[in-house]
Amino acid sequence: MTGNQKKLSKGVIGGWLLHHDQKLLSARTVAFENIATAGRSARLLSAISKEDGWTVSTERVAELGNQLGIRKHELPGLLNVLGVEGLVQSDGDGVSVLGVTQARLLEYAANIFEGQQPAGLEYAAIDLAERGSSSPVRRTDCAEELAEDYKLTRVMLQDLFEQSEHIGFVDYEGRGEDRLYFNGSLFKRDHADKARRILDSLSDVEKQNLLEADDRLRKSGCLPAAVVQKVLGDILWSKLHQIGYFQVSIVANEYGSTEFVTKPEALTKYVPSGLADMLDDAKALSSSLTFGILASPASRGRIKSPEVLMDAFIGRGYVEGWASAIKRDYVALERKGVVQVTSSTDGHRLTLLKPEVGKMARELVLKGDASKIAAELIIGNRKTDFAGPETARTEERLKDIPQAKSAAAQSLNILRKR
């Protein structure tokens, strides 16, 4: 374990491992082998553990792997890695999962990664992505610290930036030392420089107000826009809103339209743009639930126990009662097919039609961060899970990635030795 990596939780590391492995699937390169091993092993483990039977046949495991983009010849090695970690057991009958829970999936990925004893360059690739996940970071501002934390030579540091750009670990804008790195799910390419300049220009008071607003959103996940705007002031609110630092959803009911704020990285941090619609649905559901918690009068059905309600909503698939809020606060979500509202002699029933959206909303409302659930959406059937610009961009062709200079030199030294 090295340098700044200690500051990253296993959940964060695991999320980036899944993200980076998806990028490596669309690139012809043998670099970052430990990231690929950890990410691919975790995705395979997730697929196997979701099967109904205790033991999954070898043929079924091979098909599950195929659906994830894992070739048949890769399977023995990945199953061996999972076996060493004590997560699966393979025998003549197939593969058995040993006490695995989906909730700890990102932790498993991080443990597998650390068990491969990765070099500093691979940790640095995760750190660089994390640095650009909340706001664009300038190359010159992070290069020295990354080199120091992960013991990177000048050539290795150059490899880090070039490989991360080519593979797609990060998005980038600009040239040379002023090049900006950022998460494309959070900042559009043409807005990145503007975002960096605005954030750099904040006064000490504005920075303090922004820290306070961020802290409140980390704790609550979703807040009325009026609350955040009061903390920031009108001018700073306008600056941050226009660069997409905050995202705003609207809840419309008999009380009018109420705006609610979330932080983009709470949902989209590790997730490709092809899941944008699902993430928007989660933000909308979070906003409606937050209205019910904070603003809805008791007479129309104020949510007094958010955790109990959300657990029932997701576990049972519906909530039921005579509260008028059920009929009035979820109209937009019903139109989008996220929920369904019905009425009977037992009252009004709100049925959840998209469980994954509900899970993200629960994490966002109760814990302030649903990025873990969002990251897990990367795992699944590659042929059906993604639709949209990201799919077209990454699967149009496999990218030939230039060989890292440091790796080339090391290979030559090995080949020359007798």
Side-chain angles (χ1 to χ4, degrees), residues 16 19-20 23-24 32 35 125 129 163-164 167-171:
W16 286 120
H19 174 275
H20 285 7
K23 300 297 182 179
L24 288 168
F32 304 101
I35 287 178
Q163 296 272 309
S164 294
I167 295 170
F169 291 162
V170 292
D171 278 319

Side-chain angles (χ1 to χ4, degrees), residues 249-251 279-289 333 336:
S249 300
I250 299 175
V251 177
L279 300 174
D280 286 341
D281 290 344
K283 287 180 287 187
L285 180 55
S286 300
S287 298
S288 294
L289 292 166
L333 288 160
K336 298 180 74 174

Side-chain angles (χ1 to χ4, degrees), residues 132-362:
S133 67
S134 57
S135 65
V137 59
R138 189 180 291 111
R139 177 168 174 167
T140 188
D141 292 338
C142 65
E144 183 177 347
E145 188 172 354
L146 286 170
E148 182 178 349
D149 285 346
Y150 301 105
K151 313 303 180 188
L152 304 181
T153 65
R154 182 182 61 80
V155 173
M156 292 168 67
L157 187 65
Q158 182 71 17
D159 285 339
L160 169 66
F161 292 126
E162 289 184 356
Q163 296 272 309
S164 294
E165 292 171 16
H166 284 296
I167 295 170
F169 291 162
V170 292
D171 278 319
Y172 59 92
E173 179 70 30
R175 298 182 177 181
E177 295 303 307
D178 286 330
R179 175 161 284 182
L180 295 172
Y181 295 108
F182 58 96
N183 185 329
S185 297
L186 305 182
F187 290 95
K188 294 181 180 179
R189 186 171 286 270
D190 54 349
H191 287 169
D193 185 56
K194 181 180 181 182
R196 180 72 268 167
R197 284 187 281 112
I198 287 177
L199 293 170
D200 284 345
S201 69
L202 299 184
S203 67
D204 290 341
V205 173
E206 288 177 324
K207 290 176 181 177
Q208 187 60 42
N209 291 342
L210 179 56
L211 287 173
E212 181 181 345
D214 282 344
D215 185 58
R216 290 195 183 191
L217 282 168
R218 271 192 293 271
K219 293 176 180 177
S220 300
C222 184
L223 286 173
V227 173
V228 180
Q229 192 168 352
K230 184 177 180 181
V231 173
L232 298 174
D234 293 341
I235 296 177
L236 180 55
W237 165 260
S238 178
K239 287 181 180 179
L240 297 173
H241 194 188
Q242 65 179 298
I243 63 172
Y245 191 87
F246 297 115
Q247 292 185 341
V248 179
S249 300
I250 299 175
V251 177
N253 51 34
E254 73 272 25
Y255 290 90
S257 297
T258 306
E259 294 183 332
F260 289 88
V261 175
T262 57
K263 285 291 293 295
E265 63 265 32
L267 286 168
T268 63
K269 193 171 186 176
Y270 314 113
V271 182
S273 57
L275 293 173
D277 289 344
M278 185 178 290
L279 300 174
D280 286 341
D281 290 344
K283 287 180 287 187
L285 180 55
S286 300
S287 298
S288 294
L289 292 166
T290 302
F291 182 90
I293 295 168
L294 300 179
S296 184
S299 60
R300 67 187 298 277
R302 184 167 190 168
I303 299 174
K304 297 180 180 179
S305 302
E307 187 169 357
V308 173
L309 181 138
M310 290 301 296
D311 285 347
F313 193 32
I314 295 168
R316 188 173 56 188
Y318 69 91
V319 291
E320 194 170 45
W322 286 107
S324 61
I326 293 176
K327 291 183 65 176
R328 295 174 175 174
D329 290 354
Y330 303 90
V331 175
L333 288 160
E334 189 172 16
R335 289 172 182 161
K336 298 180 74 174
V338 178
V339 300
Q340 181 182 46
V341 179
T342 55
S343 297
S344 68
T345 55
D346 295 322
H348 309 303
R349 174 176 288 196
L350 183 68
T351 302
L352 180 63
L353 302 179
K354 295 183 178 180
E356 295 300 334
V357 171
K359 290 178 183 178
M360 284 192 284
R362 176 178 60 185

Side-chain angles (χ1 to χ4, degrees), residues 92-107:
D93 296 327
V95 179
S96 302
V97 177
L98 307 176
V100 169
T101 63
Q102 293 292 314
R104 294 183 60 193
L105 188 65
L106 302 186
E107 181 183 335

Side-chain angles (χ1 to χ4, degrees), residues 24 52 55 57-58 66 74 102 125 147 225 255 264 276 372-373 386:
L24 288 168
D52 293 332
T55 299
S57 70
T58 302
N66 179 58
E74 292 182 282
Q102 293 292 314
Y255 290 90
K372 177 181 177 181
I373 299 297
F386 302 118

